[in-house]
Amino acid sequence: MRTLWLRFYAGLNDFLPARWKQRTFKLGFLGRPTVREILVQLNVPPPEVALILADDRPVDFDYRPEEGERLSFYPIFYHLLPAEPLHTLPPERPPRFLLDTHLGRLARYLRMLGFDAEHLPDPDPGDAALARRAGDDGRVLLTRDRRLLARKAVRYGYFVRATSPREQLAEVLDRFELHEFVNPFSRCMCCNVPLEPVDAEAVAAQLPPGIRTHYTEFYRCPACGRVYWEGSHHARMQRLIDQVVRGSGSSASH
Ligand SMILES: [Zn+2]
């Protein structure tokens, strides 16, 4: 049995019941659990934890706290860390994502804005395969399943708080500071493959009447052959961008 004093900072409080938020609380644990086991018991995703202090000295996930120790947990997005973090954001900018099965709409929205957002909906690959894929590929696993993020194979992961796809998109853009990388018309919404510019001549047969004379720039997905042009998703995309990207954090007007 271990009795420990615990304190979670910033966004990690999202995972705690109200009585434990933003304060130090005392909790008893059976046996001599590791820090990782404590996090999993409390349903806090380890990939969101950047730093753990045990009585003010940094420890890792395998550390087994002593009786009466005080543990402090800091998230990745907390910028004033007092020591070297265990986790950071992926080094590449923008990061590449792998989305959980249930986040298909968010995956399409991210691709619409040009981000590499892999999604394996069918057949459902299962938690073990998703975690391994994200870890092996160095992708950030986006999910609303905390147990999936508790798997050791997940290196970079983030629990998406919002439930509506548009709010999820705004949340991911904010958390990963992606606004400067938004690049519409660069990736197929269905296949997640970069689009290639193509001559209007080459795709004339695939275009609705009148489109060819109204637009000059066309793009094609090399995987599925789908053709994109400014008119095809432009109005819808522009509305989304206005709402989510430009309007983030303030009123939607600009
Ligand atoms: Zn495609």
Side-chain angles (χ1 to χ4, degrees):
M1 176 85 179
R2 284 282 178 273
T3 304
L4 304 170
W5 295 90
L6 307 176
R7 173 73 154 94
F8 289 80
Y9 287 90
L12 295 178
N13 284 283
D14 294 349
F15 301 109
L16 301 178
R19 66 186 184 281
W20 293 342
K21 288 183 197 290
Q22 311 289 358
R23 55 187 290 263
T24 302
F25 57 95
K26 189 168 82 169
L27 217 53
F29 293 90
L30 291 175
R32 293 183 60 232
T34 63
V35 167
R36 172 180 274 275
E37 288 162 352
I38 289 169
L39 287 170
V40 171
Q41 271 192 47
L42 297 178
N43 220 358
V44 175
E48 291 210 12
V49 176
L51 177 73
I52 306 153
L53 298 181
D55 286 342
D56 295 330
R57 72 180 194 289
V59 295
D60 63 22
F61 288 115
D62 296 324
Y63 177 71
R64 295 182 190 276
E66 297 299 330
E67 175 62 23
E69 258 187 315
R70 182 198 154 97
L71 298 177
S72 308
F73 299 89
Y74 298 82
I76 280 182
F77 301 99
Y78 196 74
H79 291 297
L80 300 168
L81 291 175
E84 277 296 297
L86 285 167
H87 277 297
T88 55
L89 288 173
E92 53 182 357
R93 298 281 291 147
R96 292 168 300 122
F97 297 101
L98 174 62
L99 284 85
D100 193 2
T101 317
H102 309 289
L103 295 178
R105 281 281 287 288
L106 176 59
R108 289 173 69 88
Y109 282 165
L110 283 168
R111 293 169 187 165
M112 194 192 263
L113 299 185
F115 298 105
D116 185 339
E118 198 173 86
H119 181 235
L120 314 166
D122 202 26
D124 187 336
D127 285 2
L130 264 179
R132 211 167 41 239
R133 176 77 162 254
D136 289 352
D137 273 7
R139 287 177 181 267
V140 179
L141 183 58
L142 299 179
T143 179
R144 284 188 43 76
D145 179 354
R146 297 188 218 177
R147 286 177 49 195
L148 178 52
L149 290 178
R151 289 178 173 270
K152 283 190 177 172
V154 179
R155 180 165 181 210
Y156 304 119
Y158 175 70
F159 177 84
V160 180
R161 273 71 162 171
T163 51
S164 97
R166 281 176 186 233
E167 287 172 9
Q168 290 173 341
L169 179 61
E171 179 186 335
V172 170
L173 291 177
D174 281 347
R175 283 302 183 113
F176 291 87
E177 298 174 1
L178 298 178
H179 296 82
E180 64 184 292
F181 299 106
V182 168
N183 185 15
F185 291 111
S186 59
R187 193 171 292 273
C188 180
M189 284 175 61
C190 302
C191 313
N192 194 39
V193 170
L195 299 177
E196 295 171 347
V198 64
D199 283 340
E201 306 275 318
V203 293
Q206 287 173 260
L207 300 176
I211 292 298
R212 211 182 134 182
T213 49
H214 280 86
Y215 299 98
T216 52
E217 291 185 5
F218 297 89
Y219 304 88
R220 184 166 55 192
C221 170
C224 72
R226 194 181 164 118
V227 177
Y228 293 79
W229 61 93
E230 212 181 67
S232 63
H233 297 93
H234 193 255
R236 200 154 65 89
M237 200 183 290
Q238 195 58 55
R239 271 200 307 276
L240 184 77
I241 294 170
D242 285 350
Q243 285 174 358
V244 171
V245 182
R246 294 181 189 155
S248 77
S250 61
S251 72
S253 59
H254 49 88

